[in-house]
């Protein structure tokens, strides 16, 4: 993609345009981005950031009415104390969501990458298996039934998202 009025902007340099050191660096960066540990760390970090934003948004919605018992108690406090408690609660909920999303992202991406590396194929089955393993692992503490439902739920969600992302657009 090139931009009008800016020569060379947006164009990808060819390997003939780069020095040998630059070519080596590009190969190292590509190799790092294809490794399962790096993919897992990046997905965990992105999940942490998304989970933090999601948790912040959802926690801010819990203070929408003073009609509940907790809301009435909070409304009777001075404004400074209301703000202090509200921000503390929003921070703790945001951090909790961030941790959960980060863990899920790291487990799923690492598992999918390992399965894809083992099978040497990039298809829908990798995501389904990774979803099942991730859901089962997250539900394992609650017992075998929860692990089975977690496996089925994550696998179905992963299949739906992966099928949607892989579809051919006309």
């Amino acid at each position: 993609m090139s931009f009008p009025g800016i020569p060379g902007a947006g164009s990808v340099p060819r390997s003939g345009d780069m020095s040998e050191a630059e070519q080596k660096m590009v190969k190292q960066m590509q190799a790092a981005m294809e490794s399962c540990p790096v993919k897992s760390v990046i997905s965990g970090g992105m999940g942490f950031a998304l989970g933090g934003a999601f948790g912040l948004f959802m926690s801010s919605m819990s203070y929408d009415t003073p009609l509940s018992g907790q809301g009435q108690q909070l409304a009777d406090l001075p404004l400074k104390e209301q703000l202090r408690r509200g921000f503390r609660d929003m921070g703790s909920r945001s951090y909790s969501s961030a941790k959960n999303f980060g863990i899920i992202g790291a487990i799923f991406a690492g598992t999918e990458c390992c399965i894809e590396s083992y099978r040497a194929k990039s298809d829908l089955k990798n995501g389904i298996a990774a979803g099942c393993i991730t859901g089962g692992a997250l539900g394992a503490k609650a017992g075998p039934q929860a692990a089975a439902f977690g496996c089925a739920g994550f696998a179905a969600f992963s299949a739906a998202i992966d099928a949607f992302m892989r579809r051919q657009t006309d």
Side-chain angles (χ1 to χ4, degrees):
M1 181 170 130
S2 61
F3 297 100
I6 304 173
S11 63
V12 178
R14 294 179 299 232
S15 60
D17 296 343
M18 292 189 286
S19 69
E20 191 174 315
E22 289 173 329
Q23 289 178 9
K24 186 178 178 182
M25 184 182 295
V26 167
K27 285 181 183 179
Q28 287 175 346
M29 291 173 68
Q30 286 176 342
M33 291 303 293
E34 292 175 2
S35 74
C36 293
V38 172
K39 281 184 180 180
S40 186
V41 168
I42 289 172
S43 294
M46 295 302 287
F48 188 86
L50 180 66
F54 181 75
L56 184 65
F57 174 74
M58 292 305 290
S59 67
S60 68
M61 294 294 130
S62 67
Y63 297 106
D64 59 348
T65 179
L67 300 177
S68 67
Q70 181 187 9
Q72 187 59 45
Q73 289 175 347
L74 194 62
D76 293 338
L77 296 173
L79 179 63
K80 190 174 182 179
E81 182 65 20
Q82 289 179 24
L83 291 173
R84 189 178 68 75
R85 287 188 184 186
F87 285 135
R88 181 185 301 148
D89 185 51
M90 287 170 64
S92 66
R93 288 189 191 187
S94 179
Y95 183 67
S96 176
S97 285
K99 283 192 310 184
N100 291 335
F101 274 62
I103 290 169
I104 290 169
I107 292 173
F108 181 82
T111 305
E112 184 180 34
C113 183
C114 289
I115 291 170
E116 187 175 318
S117 297
Y118 178 75
R119 293 185 65 227
K121 292 181 182 177
S122 179
D123 60 5
L124 200 62
K125 293 177 185 176
N126 297 337
I128 293 172
C132 180
I133 291 169
T134 303
L138 293 174
K141 285 185 181 179
Q145 187 177 9
F149 278 114
C151 170
F154 267 79
F157 183 73
S158 177
I161 295 297
D162 213 6
F164 177 76
M165 296 301 286
R166 290 178 185 263
R167 70 184 175 148
Q168 296 294 328
T169 57
D170 295 328

